[in-house]
Amino acid sequence: MKVDTLIVGFGIAGLNYADQLRRYDKSFVVLASKEESASHLAAGIVNPTVLKRFNSVWRAGDFLDYALPFYSDLEERIQSKIIHPLPIYRILNDIQEQNDWRVAASSTSLEKYLNKQLISGDKFPEVIAPFAFGEVIQSVRVDTKRLLSHYIEKVIPHQFIPEKLDYRALIHGELIEYKGIKARKIVFCEGYHGLKNPNFNFLPLIGSKGEILTIKCEQLTEQVIFKGPIFLSPMGNKTFWVGATFNRNDKTTRVSEEGKAWLLSKLKQFLKLPFEILEHKAQIRATVVDRRPLLGRHPKLDNVYLLNGVGTRGVLMSPLLSDWLFQYIENNEKLPPEADIKRFEKQYFRN
Ligand SMILES: Cc1cc2nc3c(=O)[nH]c(=O)nc-3n(C[C@H](O)[C@H](O)[C@H](O)COP(=O)(O)OP(=O)(O)OC[C@H]3O[C@@H](n4cnc5c(N)ncnc54)[C@H](O)[C@@H]3O)c2cc1C
């Protein structure tokens, strides 16, 4: 089989890159392990703001403006609902936070996303909010798990190979060859597993483990995502996503009793209602030392590319990042220097 591009890895980054290729009519095949990844566990919240400090994410407007129509288009393509517009209600902890919220909501970078009008803490009596709620508007939840499985089933059923890549079987030359596949280029979208990729192991992917709970809570509203010390997000049928922990030391996907206890203690700080725990899971986010994505071409191999390091905001960022990478590969456009792996090239030549 001969194709233009071989994509390795199919989390949200691989999916977005595949869809760029589809849109531009490029032939491709995806080789990906079918295990659950960070993309399956993510709440899928597309939120351009940082709700700890009330500021905006790097290039928030660009990412959001690209992501929303991109996911709408995907929703249409797979004929299944994946976008759930849901405001985020940040529980404000004191008068100082209320004032800080008002100031942030009046700033040029955030006025589009933060409602200046505070929402009374009494609006949802099932939640402890003695002060007001700050409302994030334009936020949505993307059902990433459904998107990934439906995309394979409906869009690329014959272009998806459920297999883990064996790096030793990869032959680099003018064409990339792998077990009968010949491709003009290869794009690695491996998330945290990319750490093991011998072509890119010079990059500072650090990884941060996140544990989450899924709970059932019959009386809780499904109209908003709450943000107290952690997120509490509706997932349908009265189930809710509770998370997440953030741990840079443990790089396993095993769940821990400490993680669960921590999540429960944070949840009980603001949820008054009884609930039942349905699931407890963990995955690793592909975070990078300088908190910027990793895009670009291998320092020596001309047809070997990377889309990784999407960190804690992969759902928000991957659509535009995949566009940047596509334009870079196919049309020689420049990558933003903050995202280009050239910034770490010295590490490669030092090794
Ligand atoms: C608990 C938690 C909550 C999160 N919540 C959000 C959120 O609400 N909003 C948001 O924007 N982001 C969120 N994130 C972050 C988001 O999940 C990640 O940024 C994103 O999913 C990473 O996508 P990815 O495709 O780069 O990697 P992954 O999802 O890790 O996918 C990589 C895929 O490649 C496969 N693979 C790797 N190596 C190989 C190989 N050699 N051969 C074949 N296949 C391979 C893996 O098996 C995997 O399927 C969350 C993350 C976690 C852990």
Side-chain angles (χ1 to χ4, degrees), residues 9 11-13 33 37-39 42-45 165 167 190-191 310-315:
I12 201 71
S33 144
S37 69
S39 301
I45 301 169
L165 178 96
Y167 298 109
E190 298 170 290
V310 296
T312 58
R313 305 277 178 163
V315 188

Side-chain angles (χ1 to χ4, degrees), residues 214-317:
T214 310
I215 61 166
K216 182 125 190 158
C217 187
E218 294 291 349
Q219 296 146 54
L220 182 57
T221 176
E222 294 180 292
Q223 302 308 310
V224 303
I225 298 169
F226 290 107
K227 169 74 173 87
I230 50 175
F231 281 97
L232 173 60
S233 171
M235 303 295 272
N237 299 323
K238 291 288 174 184
T239 63
F240 297 84
W241 187 101
V242 178
T245 63
F246 196 91
N247 184 342
R248 288 211 179 108
N249 301 319
D250 177 1
K251 302 291 164 63
T252 70
T253 52
R254 277 192 298 277
V255 294
S256 70
E257 278 312 309
E258 298 91 289
K260 183 176 178 183
W262 185 87
L263 289 166
L264 287 175
S265 79
K266 299 294 170 196
L267 179 63
K268 286 176 185 168
Q269 279 177 26
F270 66 100
L271 179 63
K272 290 187 199 164
L273 298 170
F275 57 86
E276 178 195 349
I277 300 173
L278 302 179
E279 268 180 344
H280 177 200
K281 290 190 168 181
Q283 282 296 339
I284 316 282
R285 308 166 180 93
T287 44
V288 182
V289 147
D290 63 357
R291 298 187 182 178
R292 291 289 176 265
L294 298 170
L295 296 186
R297 180 184 285 125
H298 185 272
K300 280 194 173 156
L301 302 167
D302 271 356
N303 48 7
V304 177
Y305 298 90
L306 184 74
L307 167 48
N308 205 331
V310 296
T312 58
R313 305 277 178 163
V315 188
L316 169 70
M317 290 179 162

Side-chain angles (χ1 to χ4, degrees), residues 1-4 170-178 181-186 303:
M1 180 196 326
K2 190 168 170 191
V3 289
D4 180 78
L170 199 60
I171 302 167
H172 293 281
E174 202 171 311
L175 291 178
I176 301 285
E177 294 189 39
Y178 184 77
I181 302 168
K182 290 184 182 187
R184 272 198 275 276
K185 44 201 103 90
I186 186 165
N303 48 7

